[in-house]
Amino acid sequence: MSDYLVFTDLDGTLLNHHDYSFAEAAEALSFLQKKSIPLIIVTSKTFAEVKLLQEKLNIKCPFIVENGAGIFIPSASPIASSVDCDDPYIKITQAQTYLELRIFFKKVQREYTIRGFGDMQVKEVMELTSLDEASAINAMKRDFTEPFILEGEVDIEALKKEAMKEGLDIVKGGRFFHLVSKGQDKAYAMKHLTHLFEEFLDKKMRMIALGDSANDFTMLKAADIGVLIPLHDGTYADIADKTVMKSPYAGPKGWNKTLMEILDV
C-alpha cells in the first residue's frame, strides 16, 4: 500500500457539490491515514482554502493548488527533510503571478464580456460558490490563476488564442473558467510531485487520481489509475479515454466506493 499516491480533486469529487461535505468519504479517508498512503489534494482552490481543509481532514501531505500552478510541501514533510526551512511550507511554481494574469484579464475585458474574481465583491463570490463569507474571502486570495464567468456570448476559443500569445491558457472547471499559465495543469504538477516522492523513497510510486470535470482530464489520463466521478446530476463529463474508470456515484460517495475497490479493501 505504501507504493500508492492518491491525488484528488475537491469540488464534486472528495467534497459534495452542494454543501462541500466529505462525510461520505470517511471510510476511505480513515483507511488512507491508517496505511500512511499520502492523500494529495489537487484543486483549483487557493493555498488559504486548502490549508484550512487539510486541518479539517487531519492530513499534512503536500498539496497542489490553482489547477496545478503551485505545489506546497509542508517543511515538516519527510520529503522536505534535506533542507532547512524556517517557513511552514516550501512553494514550487513556474506560473505567472496573479498580477500578470489580472493585467491581461483587464485588457481582454475590453472585447470579451467576462468577469473574474478580481472584479467581484465578497458577496458575489459567496452567491456564485455557495461558500460562507470567510471561505469566500479565502477563495479570493489568488496567487496564480483567475476564475471567471461569462456574461454574454463569448468565443472561448478566440479568447484562448489571445491567452496563448501571452503564455497563458484557459481551462474549464466545475463552476468557472480559469485563466492559468500555459503548461501549468494538474497532470504536470502531479507528475512533478510524484517524481519528488520517487527520488526521496528510491522506488516507483503508483498514481491514483480522482476528479469530475474537464480540468481534471489531463490528471486522470496521466495517472496509473484514473477515476472519473459523475457530476452532481449523475452525468459524466466527456472524457474520451477508455482507460479511465467511471465511478457509479457522484461526489464523496463515489470517491469512497471506487477508492476502496481499487485498494481492494
Side-chain angles (χ1 to χ4, degrees):
M1 289 301 180
S2 60
D3 293 342
Y4 283 113
L5 296 173
V6 177
F7 295 85
T8 183
D9 175 52
L10 291 178
D11 293 357
T13 302
L14 176 56
L15 305 182
N16 186 292
H17 175 83
H18 302 289
D19 60 8
Y20 300 101
S21 170
F22 53 82
E24 291 182 301
E27 182 184 16
L29 288 170
S30 177
F31 182 81
L32 294 177
Q33 197 162 47
K34 181 180 177 181
K35 296 295 183 180
S36 298
I37 300 173
L39 175 61
I40 299 164
I41 291 170
V42 190
T43 180
S44 61
K45 292 184 182 296
T46 65
F47 169 84
E49 291 178 283
V50 177
K51 185 173 179 292
L52 287 175
L53 179 60
Q54 290 221 130
E55 292 173 5
K56 293 178 181 178
L57 290 167
N58 193 30
I59 60 175
K60 298 179 180 179
C61 300
F63 54 89
I64 297 166
V65 302
E66 298 192 46
N67 285 314
I71 299 171
F72 287 89
I73 301 174
S75 56
S77 170
I79 66 171
S81 60
S82 60
V83 296
D84 291 325
C85 182
D86 294 329
D87 296 325
Y89 293 92
I90 298 169
K91 178 175 71 176
I92 301 173
T93 184
Q94 296 179 347
Q96 294 189 45
T97 65
Y98 186 59
L99 173 61
E100 291 170 299
L101 268 67
R102 281 295 297 173
I103 289 172
F104 169 81
F105 195 84
K106 295 304 289 185
K107 183 185 76 171
V108 295
Q109 276 183 315
R110 300 168 193 161
E111 182 178 354
Y112 299 92
T113 53
I114 55 179
R115 186 170 173 80
F117 271 27
D119 304 309
M120 301 177 187
Q121 300 296 317
V122 174
K123 185 177 180 181
E124 186 174 356
V125 173
M126 290 172 64
E127 292 171 352
L128 288 170
T129 60
S130 300
L131 293 169
D132 59 37
E133 183 175 6
S135 298
I137 290 171
N138 281 332
M140 296 174 76
K141 294 178 180 178
R142 317 303 301 181
D143 288 308
F144 317 107
T145 64
E146 177 71 328
F148 66 94
I149 58 174
L150 313 182
E151 293 194 315
E153 291 293 326
V154 175
D155 186 339
I156 285 292
E157 289 306 312
L159 178 56
K160 187 168 183 173
K161 288 179 181 178
E162 291 290 327
M164 297 285 274
K165 292 176 184 176
E166 300 297 327
L168 302 172
D169 200 357
I170 293 171
V171 297
K172 179 71 171 70
R175 285 180 167 87
F176 305 98
F177 288 92
H178 299 263
L179 178 66
V180 305
S181 292
K182 186 178 177 181
Q184 300 299 301
D185 68 359
K186 291 185 174 184
Y188 176 86
M190 176 183 72
K191 290 187 285 187
H192 188 88
L193 185 53
T194 298
H195 176 71
L196 295 182
F197 271 97
E198 290 178 337
E199 288 284 289
F200 176 74
L201 297 171
D202 194 26
K203 66 178 177 179
K204 179 70 175 174
M205 304 298 291
R206 297 194 69 199
M207 299 174 289
I208 302 173
L210 306 97
D212 73 319
S213 60
N215 65 342
D216 299 313
F217 287 178
T218 60
M219 177 175 73
L220 302 187
K221 292 175 182 179
D224 296 293
I225 303 174
V227 180
L228 182 64
I229 304 290
L231 300 170
H232 62 95
D233 61 4
T235 64
Y236 292 91
D238 186 18
I239 178 170
D241 193 319
K242 294 182 180 179
T243 66
V244 174
M245 298 173 59
K246 289 185 175 180
S247 177
Y249 305 113
K253 181 179 180 180
W255 189 94
N256 186 83
K257 178 176 174 59
T258 306
L259 191 52
M260 294 296 278
E261 288 176 352
I262 291 170
L263 298 173
D264 196 26
V265 180

